[in-house]
Amino acid sequence: MNVCLLCRQYPPADGGGIGTYMSRYARALARQGCCVTVVTAATGRHPGSTPVATDASGITIVEIPVPIDERWTAPTADATDAHCAAFHVLSPASLFGMAVARCLPALHDRHGFDIVESPETGAALWFALNERRTSRAWPASPVFVTHVFSPSAWIEEQNRCPATSRGELALRWMEADAARWSDARVCSSRALADWAERAWDLAPGDIDLFPPPMGEASESPTTPAAGRRLLYVGRLEPRKGVDVLLASFARAGSRIDDLHLELAGHDMTDPRTNQPFGRRSVELHVPASLRRRVHLLGHLDHRVLAQARRRARAAVIPAACDNYPYACIEAMAAGLPVIAARAGGVASLVRHGREGLLFDPGDIDACADAIVELVRMDAPRRSEMGKAAADRVRSVCDDRAVANARLDHYARLIDRRPSAPARSDIPVVVLNAPATHQRELEPLVA
């Protein structure tokens, strides 16, 4: 099968959980004999150059030029008026979507993709799918699949910070459009799929569920450390439950003298206060007497993060709603028991009392009690829980099983591959039509 994966920030670029997923999924498909092409962004590069390379796994990586700087903060000097307008009116990510729409037809002609899959985040498929809807650019269309990872509207909701700018609002609608216009939609967690089906007016059960592939474990499972340290990995922002974790740590720390908490990840600016959310949350929720036991490590590379896991007695995943975080998958693969909110994909992976301890989302006292219980747990029981965590994640997120399930799903989608629609019945949409012409224009308005 010939699969094209779109990923705006593919490793080694820092693409967060989406980039991690796409790189591991691409390798899992390649090991099952698929021809895999990854289309990613080459920022700041002249529009005429499109580097193509093949990595050690046999994956073809196509870097399409996007006229924007490497931090996605401004168009480059060679950006067209259309690019500049999209940047200012829509969102910076829309420039990647425009580049995808320009390059994808030629790539499809060359490779004959069966499947094109993209995250909804950033609406990378919007321009291409809109072209398919309104022109003859896709006479023999591949199957388009939207993978729901972290919709902008969902992130804003979880971060308690609604969209305010025109670009943010436009991105919300573009992500929803691209998902609805796709031929299929997939997600890892039922909770996020339910949210998307409600928010995007999809039929219940429209989004198919598949766990993420585990990929290579950062390190071999080890016995949880004897020291009393907890490890959190992820962005320090409201939606990740960092403030709940710190308040819970303060209560648990008052009961356990040598308890420490390490937080590894970017400290994000809270748009409500314009201050680093993690550092500010420490000041708000942790008494001065305990702050020396809270360690903000910043973003760590894989080697240093592996060392942090070996120091930890348990991993903590406090998010009240998360998709299927690799922070949890990698901690379990390393043999760490997990203390987690009973929410999102984590709730389907971690079973209370077996691979870790669960608490109700946002319940500070319950989280503190879980911390105290696991930290005080005798070493044999804790080791048993860590081994169960490693076994569980290797079973649920097995690369071969995930890839085969996805390939079976792809085959079913290809069997009902959409034919090129007749274009004569596509309505014309008139924007800002004068009211005096409404009757004459009514037949032309969708």
Side-chain angles (χ1 to χ4, degrees):
M1 191 172 294
N2 201 335
V3 180
C4 174
L5 303 177
L6 305 183
C7 184
R8 181 165 61 96
Q9 292 172 301
Y10 190 76
D14 182 10
I18 295 176
T20 299
Y21 177 97
M22 285 298 188
S23 63
R24 296 182 182 185
Y25 182 51
R27 290 195 293 274
L29 289 178
R31 284 194 291 269
Q32 295 307 105
C34 291
C35 295
V36 182
T37 301
V38 174
V39 177
T40 188
T43 55
R45 190 167 286 163
H46 189 275
S49 64
T50 304
V52 179
T54 303
D55 72 6
S57 302
I59 298 165
T60 300
I61 299 176
V62 180
E63 295 185 331
I64 57 176
V66 180
I68 196 168
D69 64 18
E70 291 186 357
R71 292 168 51 184
W72 295 81
T73 57
T76 54
D78 57 2
T80 66
D81 289 344
H83 287 127
C84 293
F87 176 87
H88 292 293
V89 178
L90 301 177
S91 76
S94 64
L95 273 66
F96 179 58
M98 295 171 73
V100 166
R102 178 176 60 83
C103 296
L104 198 54
L107 289 172
H108 177 51
D109 288 343
R110 188 179 311 141
H111 297 283
F113 299 130
D114 298 301
I115 299 287
V116 175
E117 180 167 321
S118 172
E120 92 299 330
T121 309
L125 279 177
W126 192 94
F127 292 92
L129 288 172
N130 194 48
E131 185 75 10
R132 184 177 73 162
R133 291 170 65 243
T134 58
S135 77
R136 297 182 183 274
W138 294 97
S141 176
V143 174
F144 285 93
V145 178
T146 285
H147 196 132
V148 183
F149 283 100
S150 49
S152 296
W154 178 73
I155 290 177
E156 292 157 7
E157 184 179 298
Q158 297 300 316
N159 270 340
R160 311 158 208 166
C161 186
T164 55
S165 73
R166 179 173 180 171
E168 290 169 336
L169 292 169
L171 186 57
R172 278 184 169 202
W173 284 104
M174 292 173 73
E175 290 175 351
D177 283 344
R180 285 191 292 256
W181 296 342
S182 293
D183 304 307
R185 290 144 292 276
V186 298
C187 185
S188 293
S189 89
R190 181 73 265 166
L192 180 54
D194 288 344
W195 180 94
E197 288 165 0
R198 292 192 303 270
W200 297 339
D201 197 25
L202 302 171
D206 173 273
I207 299 176
D208 294 300
L209 300 183
F210 299 94
M214 187 178 74
E216 67 284 357
S218 299
E219 61 271 358
S220 300
T222 57
T223 301
R228 295 183 171 185
R229 285 180 178 263
L230 305 172
L231 177 65
Y232 165 88
V233 178
R235 293 184 179 92
L236 309 188
E237 58 184 346
R239 72 185 179 102
K240 295 293 188 178
V242 172
D243 47 356
V244 170
L245 171 58
L246 288 166
S248 301
F249 170 80
R251 298 185 188 186
S254 66
R255 297 156 63 183
I256 301 176
D257 290 340
D258 55 349
L259 183 65
H260 287 252
L261 173 64
E262 296 187 337
L263 299 102
H266 293 295
D267 196 352
M268 308 300 289
T269 300
D270 187 343
R272 300 167 301 176
T273 63
N274 205 34
Q275 295 184 26
F277 182 76
R279 191 169 299 280
R280 181 60 177 155
S281 294
V282 172
E283 295 170 356
L284 288 174
H285 299 293
V286 181
S289 60
L290 296 178
R291 288 177 195 164
R292 64 178 180 79
R293 294 198 248 154
V294 177
H295 312 275
L296 302 179
L297 306 180
H299 180 71
L300 304 180
D301 64 28
H302 292 298
R303 179 184 57 81
V304 181
L305 188 55
Q307 294 172 355
R309 289 197 183 98
R310 286 193 287 271
R311 291 194 299 267
R313 182 166 289 196
V316 190
I317 315 290
C321 186
D322 212 341
N323 182 12
Y324 217 111
Y326 270 106
C328 183
I329 291 172
E330 292 177 353
M332 293 174 71
L336 284 181
V338 174
I339 300 168
R342 189 180 284 104
V346 174
S348 65
L349 183 61
V350 179
R351 296 168 295 186
H352 182 73
R354 299 176 69 174
E355 294 85 26
L357 300 175
L358 301 177
F359 61 92
D360 289 336
D363 190 331
I364 294 171
D365 286 330
C367 180
D369 289 343
I371 290 171
V372 171
E373 179 182 349
L374 198 144
V375 168
R376 289 179 173 170
M377 190 178 289
D378 63 78
R381 174 74 180 103
R382 200 167 60 250
S383 295
E384 178 186 356
M385 190 173 279
K387 182 181 184 302
D391 292 343
R392 171 74 169 167
V393 77
R394 280 172 166 74
S395 172
V396 174
C397 299
D398 176 72
D399 286 11
R400 181 187 294 270
V402 170
N404 285 338
R406 295 296 315 276
L407 289 172
D408 288 345
H409 183 243
Y410 286 160
R412 294 193 297 272
L413 295 175
I414 291 168
D415 284 344
R416 58 177 192 263
R417 184 195 303 263
S419 58
R423 301 300 173 181
S424 59
D425 60 350
I426 292 180
V428 175
V429 178
V430 179
L431 302 179
N432 301 324
T436 54
H437 297 157
Q438 188 63 36
R439 181 174 299 176
E440 293 85 347
L441 293 173
E442 196 168 271
L444 300 178
V445 178

